[in-house]
Each structure stands twice: as C-alpha cells, then as structure tokens.
C-alpha cells in the first residue's frame, strides 16, 4: 500500500540531471576555453550580475563609458575630421593628455601643450555640445593633471598664506596647469553643457579634491580655482548645499586645528557673492554659517591676510538682516585682541562699518560691553589704537547712536578720557581726547560735571586706600624690626677642627 502511494509521487531529478537540463537550455551561455574545459552558466542570473559589475565599473572608472566610442588618431587636427568625428577626436586628445610627461622630454612637453591648446580652442566654440563620454574623459583628464598632494609647508612663520614679508611661491608646472584650468573653465562655462549628465562626474568627490587645491601656495592657481568653483556653484544648483558645507569644514579645520591655509581669502571672495544671493528671510543654515564659520575667522593670527574679504561677507549678512548686527558685535568682542595692536586696528575699523548698519534697538543690546572695550582702546598706549578709537566719534551715525544713549555711554568712557587728559604721552591722542570731551559737554554738560565729581570722589577713595595700605606696611615693618634679637645674642658657629695629620 505504501509502495503504491510513493510510486505516484513525482521524482526529483539528480543534480547532474538538473545541470544537464540547464545546459541544454537555449538561453544558457557555454564558454569553451583553450584547455578544452567547458563552462556552462545560467544565462539569466549571470547576465544580471554582469550588468551590476558593469554599472559599478562605469562609476569607478569613467573611461569605461567611452569603450564603445570609435577611436580616432589623436594627432589629427579638428579641421581634418568631419563634424560627427570631432567628439571622438576630442576624447582621443583628452586621453592623450592623461599621460604624465617627463619634464626632461621636451618633445612630449611641446606635444602635450599643443594638444591642450587645441582642446581649449575646441571647447571655446559655443556650438560644441559635449556627449557623456566626452564629459567623462574631460573630468578624468582634469583629475589626472590637477589633483595632487602638495609638499609640506616650509614657511618660517606659523601663519597661513603669504605675508607682506614673503614672496609667493610659484609652481614650476604652471605652464601646463594654466591651460588645463582654462580648459576646465571653458568646459564648465559652455552654455550647451548638460548639467544633468555632468553632475555625475563633477560630483562630491570631484568638488572635495578641487577644494583641496585651494591650499596651493601659487596665487595664480588659487585665482583660477576661485573662478571655477564659483562657476560650479552657479551652474550646478544640486551641489550648492554640499559646497557650502565643505567650505565650512575647511574653515573649521583652519580656525580650530591648524591655523594654516593659503586659500581662505579666495574662499571668502567666492562667498561674498554667494551671500549676496541668499533669499530672504535667511535660512537657519545660513545664519549658522555666519556664527560658526565667519565670526570665528577673527580668531587666527593671520586674519590680516583675509580680513577685508571677511568684513565684506559679514556686512552682506547684516545688509540682509539688520537684526544680526548685535550678535556680530558680540562675536567681535569675544575674539577681541589684547596684545596684537595691528589686529586691534582692524577690529575697530570693522566695528565702525558694522555700527553704520546697526539700528538703535540692536545697538542698545550691546552698548554696555561695547563701550567698555572702546574705553580700553581710548587708553591704549599704542597711539594708533587710541587715535582710531577716538575717530569713531567723527562718524555721524555712530555719534547719533552715542547721543541718544549718552547717559549710559558717558559714564563708561569718561574715566578713560580723563586719564588721557592727565597723562597720555601722545599729543595727537591728547587733542582728540579734548575734542571728544567737548562733544560730550555740548550734549549734556550737567552729566559731564557729575561724572567728573564722581571720578574725583573715586580718586580720593583710591588715595585714601593707598595711604592706608602704606601705613599698614610701615607698622608691619616696625613690628618686625622690634621682634629681631640684638646683634650680640647671635651664636657664632664653631669652626671645624683642623686635622693635625697631613692627609
């Protein structure tokens, strides 16, 4: 009975039979190798895996896209080929320029330079429409020639970038790099470039490597990079948030870790125009860039290299939203220099520009800590700092803010003005101090006299405290002298016994 039931069940084919059946299927692929070994693989599963491998390789190796492009002799001129073949010739010339040449081989140098110039002329034509293989080959050629690791910085100082005492260092390979940068700029600026296709190759990795090049010590290269990155930011809208974030990371590392970077000024110059294009109301992301990146940039010692561009960026934010003025002033006070007089001069100049854009409400939020700091600047022994602080009263808008809040501001700065009148060493500072006091006399004479009386009382208290301390020290000295034993009571230490035997 059981045997009859089992005989009715369908039998499973053995593994060898199943493989043979699969091998006899017309959709299968059979590969015969030279050693006579026959390999049979299921067509559907293998083809799907092969497609995945091809897709991955096309991303990792962009040149694989051009595998189906008909090869053209790269030494031909664009005039000697037909229009359909020009794109293939363009790709062939790009591949030729991917070879790294030896500087001792002048023939290859001249050939590569001529080829690059031909590519620049071809890319400059406004009617040129680049195919995907051409875009891929273009990005590959730029990556091979431009992306590189810079040697360790050997500057004598610890500041980033060139200073007034140091001449810029020029890259010996600039004759080639300049043409490659020019080609990349014309390629990105081409009106017929399809950004949907190009963004696959000018991707986040490409942009990060481009940002690394801003640390070049050659100012010509940084200037080219500035223009190219600005064009990428304007043309590839999908990359804008990433570029802002990447530049922020460069600034964070410069401010809080290394304080060495050659391209901060160029990056700020780009963002000067970027900030002016921000839509209103400002996004929280943009305000965070101001608070976390731009304001801390006042901290490094090398701020003088990029301070003018930094001030422009900060002013762009305040023009967009005047309510940011108080937070910017608080940031300046946080990073205010104490021992660097030249840096202090830059801060005062920037502060004056900010105050010109500051409303009365925002000014009142910060006027107490602000004028405490200005009072210290008025008393500075560095005459340029003191002179620059006094000149704030020559600004009409600043004077208007001070006039409306003189009851709070005058007591904060009067003691500094009075000390300058008594004992400042510089005559120009002394004259400016008298002018500022005259302005306050005209605004509110009674308050000036009250502040003067209060200052005299404080001086009397300080004199009395100083006299009390002097008398106390005298009593202590007298008491200490009375406790000393007489001179005759001192025990004379015994002399060590001399040895009679010569050692």
């Amino acid at each position: 009975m059981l045997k009859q039931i089992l005989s009715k069940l369908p039998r499973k084919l053995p593994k060898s039979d199943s493989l043979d059946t699969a091998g006899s299927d017309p959709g299968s692929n059979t590969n015969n190798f030279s050693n006579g070994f026959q390999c049979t693989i299921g067509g559907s599963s293998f083809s799907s895996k092969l497609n995945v491998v091809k897709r991955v390789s096309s991303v990792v190796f962009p040149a694989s896209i051009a595998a189906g492009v008909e090869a053209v002799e790269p030494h031909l001129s664009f005039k000697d080929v037909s229009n359909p073949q020009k794109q293939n010739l363009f790709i062939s010339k790009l591949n030729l320029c991917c070879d790294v040449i030896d500087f001792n081989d002048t023939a290859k140098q001249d050939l590569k330079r001529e080829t690059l110039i031909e590519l620049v002329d071809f890319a400059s034509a406004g009617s040129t429409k680049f195919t995907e293989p051409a875009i891929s080959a273009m990005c590959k050629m730029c990556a091979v020639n431009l992306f590189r690791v810079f040697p360790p910085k050997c500057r004598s100082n610890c500041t980033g970038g060139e200073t007034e005492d140091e001449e810029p260092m020029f890259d010996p390979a600039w004759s080639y790099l300049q043409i490659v940068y020019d080609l990349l700029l014309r390629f990105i600026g081409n009106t017929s470039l399809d950004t949907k296709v190009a963004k696959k190759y000018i991707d986040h990795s490409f942009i990060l490597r481009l940002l690394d090049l801003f640390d070049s010590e050659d100012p010509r290269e940084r200037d080219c990079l500035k223009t190219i990155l600005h064009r990428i930011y304007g043309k590839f809208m999908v990359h804008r948030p990433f570029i802002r974030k990447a530049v922020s990371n460069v600034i964070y590392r410069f401010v809080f870790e290394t304080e060495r970077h050659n391209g901060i000024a160029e990056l700020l110059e780009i963002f000067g125009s970027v900030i002016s294009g921000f839509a209103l109301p400002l996004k929280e992301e943009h305000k965070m860039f101001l608070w976390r990146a731009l304001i801390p940039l006042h901290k490094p010692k090398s701020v003088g290299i990029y301070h003018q561009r930094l001030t422009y960026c900060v002013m762009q934010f305040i023009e967009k939203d005047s309510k940011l003025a108080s937070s910017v002033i608080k940031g300046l006070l946080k990073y205010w220099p104490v021992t660097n007089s030249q840096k202090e001069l830059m801060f005062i100049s920037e502060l004056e520009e900010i105050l010109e854009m500051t409303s009365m409400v925002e000014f009142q939020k910060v006027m107490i800590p602000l004028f405490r700091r200005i009072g210290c600047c008025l008393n500075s022994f560095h005459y340029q700092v003191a002179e620059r602080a006094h000149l704030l009263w020559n600004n009409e808008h600043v004077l208007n803010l001070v006039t409306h809040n003189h009851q709070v501001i005058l007591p904060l700065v009067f003691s500094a003005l009075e000390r300058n009148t008594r004992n400042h060493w510089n005559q120009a500072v002394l004259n400016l101090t008298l002018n500022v006091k005259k302005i306050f006399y005209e605004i509110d004479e009674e308050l000036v006299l009250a502040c003067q009386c209060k200052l005299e009382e404080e001086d009397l208290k300080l004199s009395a405290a100083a006299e009390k301390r002097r008398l106390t020290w005298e009593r202590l000295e007298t008491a200490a002298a009375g406790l000393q034993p007489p001179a005759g009571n001192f025990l004379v230490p015994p002399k060590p016994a001399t040895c009679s035997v010569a050692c």
Side-chain angles (χ1 to χ4, degrees):
M1 183 69 179
L2 183 59
K3 290 181 179 180
Q4 292 177 356
I5 295 173
L6 292 175
S7 62
K8 294 180 180 179
L9 295 175
R11 292 185 180 182
K12 287 186 178 180
L13 292 174
K15 291 184 179 180
S16 59
D17 295 339
S18 62
L19 286 174
D20 293 338
T21 306
S24 62
D25 185 46
S28 63
N29 293 332
T30 304
N31 297 329
N32 295 323
F33 294 95
S34 59
N35 58 0
F37 179 78
Q38 184 176 3
C39 180
T40 307
I41 305 173
S44 59
S45 61
F46 178 75
S47 62
S48 61
K49 293 179 181 178
L50 185 61
N51 290 335
V52 172
V53 173
K54 286 183 178 179
R55 287 197 298 271
V56 173
S57 65
S58 66
V59 174
V60 179
F61 307 103
S64 62
I65 291 182
V69 177
E70 182 182 351
V72 179
E73 175 60 36
H75 301 295
L76 294 176
S77 174
F78 284 102
K79 298 178 182 179
D80 299 335
V81 296
S82 60
N83 289 332
Q85 291 294 323
K86 286 185 178 180
Q87 287 287 330
N88 297 339
L89 179 59
F90 181 71
I91 295 171
S92 298
K93 288 181 179 293
L94 287 172
N95 293 333
L96 177 65
C97 293
C98 288
D99 296 334
V100 179
I101 61 171
D102 185 4
F103 281 98
N104 296 324
D105 193 342
T106 56
K108 290 185 177 180
Q109 286 186 31
D110 296 338
L111 177 61
K112 185 171 183 178
R113 184 184 294 107
E114 292 174 1
T115 306
L116 286 171
I117 293 173
E118 288 181 7
L119 291 172
V120 171
D121 294 338
F122 179 77
S124 302
S127 59
T128 304
K129 187 173 183 180
F130 299 104
T131 60
E132 184 169 355
I135 295 173
S136 171
M138 180 69 193
C139 294
K140 178 185 176 183
M141 190 277 295
C142 292
V144 170
N145 286 276
L146 298 179
F147 299 157
R148 62 203 188 279
V149 178
F150 296 114
K153 297 179 178 64
C154 55
R155 296 282 185 178
S156 58
N157 61 340
C158 61
T159 59
E162 300 89 9
T163 62
E164 295 179 357
D165 300 331
E166 291 180 337
E167 293 189 5
M169 298 178 66
F170 299 109
D171 197 315
W174 179 246
S175 59
Y176 300 99
L177 295 175
Q178 182 181 15
I179 306 174
V180 177
Y181 277 121
D182 192 17
L183 176 59
L184 179 59
L185 178 61
R186 294 175 187 273
F187 170 75
I188 294 173
N190 194 298
T191 55
S192 61
L193 179 64
D194 190 353
T195 55
K196 294 181 179 179
V197 177
K199 71 180 181 182
K200 294 192 295 184
Y201 305 101
I202 303 178
D203 55 0
H204 291 178
S205 176
F206 188 92
I207 292 171
L208 285 176
R209 298 295 301 275
L210 206 64
L211 282 172
D212 291 339
L213 297 176
F214 274 88
D215 202 18
S216 170
E217 296 197 5
D218 194 330
R220 302 169 299 181
E221 183 170 11
R222 298 198 302 267
D223 192 60
C224 290
L225 287 165
K226 174 186 67 178
T227 309
I228 290 171
L229 185 62
H230 196 190
R231 292 282 179 88
I232 292 175
Y233 187 91
K235 195 154 193 172
F236 297 87
M237 297 183 66
V238 67
H239 290 329
R240 288 183 180 182
F242 178 80
I243 293 175
R244 291 195 296 267
K245 184 178 179 181
V247 172
S248 298
N249 291 335
V250 172
I251 294 175
Y252 297 154
R253 187 178 181 191
F254 168 69
V255 173
F256 301 110
E257 294 182 17
T258 63
E259 289 198 8
R260 292 188 66 107
H261 199 282
N262 294 304
I264 297 297
E266 285 78 13
L267 291 174
L268 289 175
E269 192 169 346
I270 295 171
F271 267 77
S273 59
V274 169
I275 295 167
S276 64
F278 285 164
L280 294 177
L282 288 174
K283 297 180 181 178
E284 193 66 22
E285 171 204 347
H286 301 154
K287 294 179 182 179
M288 297 303 290
F289 178 76
L290 169 66
W291 295 326
R292 294 185 178 180
L294 294 184
I295 292 179
L297 273 174
H298 292 84
K299 177 185 175 183
K301 297 177 181 178
S302 57
V303 65
I305 299 172
Y306 55 82
H307 183 261
Q308 184 177 358
R309 297 173 178 88
L310 176 60
T311 302
Y312 180 77
C313 290
V314 171
M315 294 305 299
Q316 289 294 313
F317 270 106
I318 297 176
E319 286 181 8
K320 292 283 183 181
D321 187 356
S322 60
K323 295 180 180 179
L324 296 173
S326 58
S327 60
V328 170
I329 293 175
K330 289 178 182 177
L332 281 179
L333 296 176
K334 178 181 178 180
Y335 296 107
W336 197 277
V338 178
T339 59
N340 192 333
S341 300
Q342 295 302 319
K343 192 174 176 182
E344 199 167 8
L345 287 171
M346 291 185 284
F347 273 53
I348 297 174
S349 299
E350 182 178 358
L351 178 63
E352 182 176 4
E353 291 188 37
I354 295 172
L355 289 175
E356 288 180 354
M357 305 290 296
T358 305
S359 63
M360 187 67 68
V361 176
E362 296 299 317
F363 175 76
Q364 291 173 349
K365 294 179 182 178
V366 295
M367 61 182 178
I368 294 178
L370 173 61
F371 275 86
R372 280 177 182 163
R373 172 54 61 185
I374 291 177
C376 295
C377 296
L378 293 172
N379 274 145
S380 176
F381 287 107
H382 194 287
Y383 77 96
Q384 290 180 337
V385 175
E387 194 174 51
R388 188 67 185 85
H390 283 85
L391 292 176
L392 290 174
W393 272 262
N394 290 352
N395 188 296
E396 292 183 5
H397 186 73
V398 175
L399 182 60
N400 183 47
L401 294 173
V402 172
T403 303
H404 283 80
N405 300 277
H406 67 276
Q407 293 183 347
V408 178
I409 294 173
L410 179 56
L412 296 174
V413 299
F414 186 80
S415 60
L417 295 172
E418 192 65 25
R419 282 195 292 270
N420 279 355
T421 305
R422 294 174 185 175
N423 54 18
H424 201 281
W425 66 273
N426 187 271
Q427 187 62 38
V429 174
L430 181 60
N431 294 336
L432 290 171
T433 301
L434 295 175
N435 290 337
V436 173
K437 288 184 69 174
K438 181 180 179 181
I439 291 173
F440 279 120
Y441 267 109
E442 294 174 356
I443 295 173
D444 192 341
E445 184 177 355
E446 293 181 2
L447 183 59
V448 172
L449 295 175
C451 290
Q452 191 165 3
C453 293
K454 185 178 179 181
L455 182 62
E456 290 174 357
E457 292 176 1
E458 290 177 355
D459 289 343
L460 289 175
K461 290 180 181 179
L462 290 174
S463 300
E467 181 66 18
K468 186 177 180 180
R469 283 196 303 272
R470 187 184 66 81
L471 294 174
T472 302
W473 280 109
E474 285 183 358
R475 288 196 301 269
L476 287 173
E477 290 173 358
T478 304
L483 292 175
Q484 290 180 358
N489 293 341
F490 281 112
L491 294 177
V492 179
K495 294 182 179 180
T498 59
C499 181
S500 58
V501 180
C503 297

